[in-house]
Amino acid sequence: MTFNLKYFLIFIILFLSEIFIAKYTTGFIRHTFGDYLCVILIYAFIKSFVKISNLKTASIVLLIAYTVEFLQLTNLQNFYPNEHVKTLKLILGTSFSIGDLVAYTLGIISTLLIEHKLEKRYEKTI
């Protein structure tokens, strides 16, 4: 384990953005763009503390996102503790959507493309 300030700052910025989106927006921004940013946020969080390859990190994040989305096909939300229902529904969602899977996938693809371009740029400067 190692701390990476760059990824942690990206995580903080995305976390604050997600809070803003959840509180003050609706429609496409909240339901699609928020999901797109969510996987990037999780990616940055993992990379903040664990030094693993970009592809492994992206795969883990996509697995987490897909698992949470497919769990929405179950009645799991009926078992949330009453005192945490609102928060858990906000974080884990309430209904399955293929659009969410597309948003997660596009978020991870974007992240990997950006990481790849940054690595190429870094290689050129060395």
Side-chain angles (χ1 to χ4, degrees), residues 41-60:
L41 173 136
I42 297 168
Y43 179 93
F45 182 77
I46 292 171
K47 294 288 276 188
S48 295
F49 300 103
V50 182
K51 188 169 184 160
I52 59 175
S53 75
N54 297 338
L55 189 57
K56 280 184 184 178
T57 307
S59 298
I60 290 166

Side-chain angles (χ1 to χ4, degrees), residues 6-102:
K6 175 184 79 167
Y7 283 109
F8 191 72
L9 291 174
I10 292 168
F11 164 74
I12 295 296
I13 291 166
L14 289 171
F15 184 73
L16 294 173
S17 300
E18 288 283 24
I19 290 171
F20 179 83
I21 288 170
K23 284 186 153 231
Y24 302 110
T25 66
T26 60
F28 175 81
I29 297 295
R30 179 166 184 179
H31 300 293
T32 304
F33 191 64
D35 290 339
Y36 173 87
L37 290 180
C38 181
V39 291
I40 302 170
L41 173 136
I42 297 168
Y43 179 93
F45 182 77
I46 292 171
K47 294 288 276 188
S48 295
F49 300 103
V50 182
K51 188 169 184 160
I52 59 175
S53 75
N54 297 338
L55 189 57
K56 280 184 184 178
T57 307
S59 298
I60 290 166
V61 170
L62 208 51
L63 179 64
I64 292 167
Y66 276 30
T67 299
V68 169
E69 192 65 30
F70 280 106
L71 282 173
Q72 292 173 14
L73 289 170
T74 70
N75 65 346
L76 180 65
Q77 65 182 321
N78 295 332
F79 298 103
Y80 295 160
N82 287 336
E83 62 272 12
H84 303 296
V85 167
K86 190 173 182 178
T87 303
L88 288 171
K89 284 184 176 183
L90 179 65
I91 294 169
L92 300 175
T94 56
S95 60
F96 176 82
S97 169
I98 290 177
D100 291 352
L101 298 176
V102 172

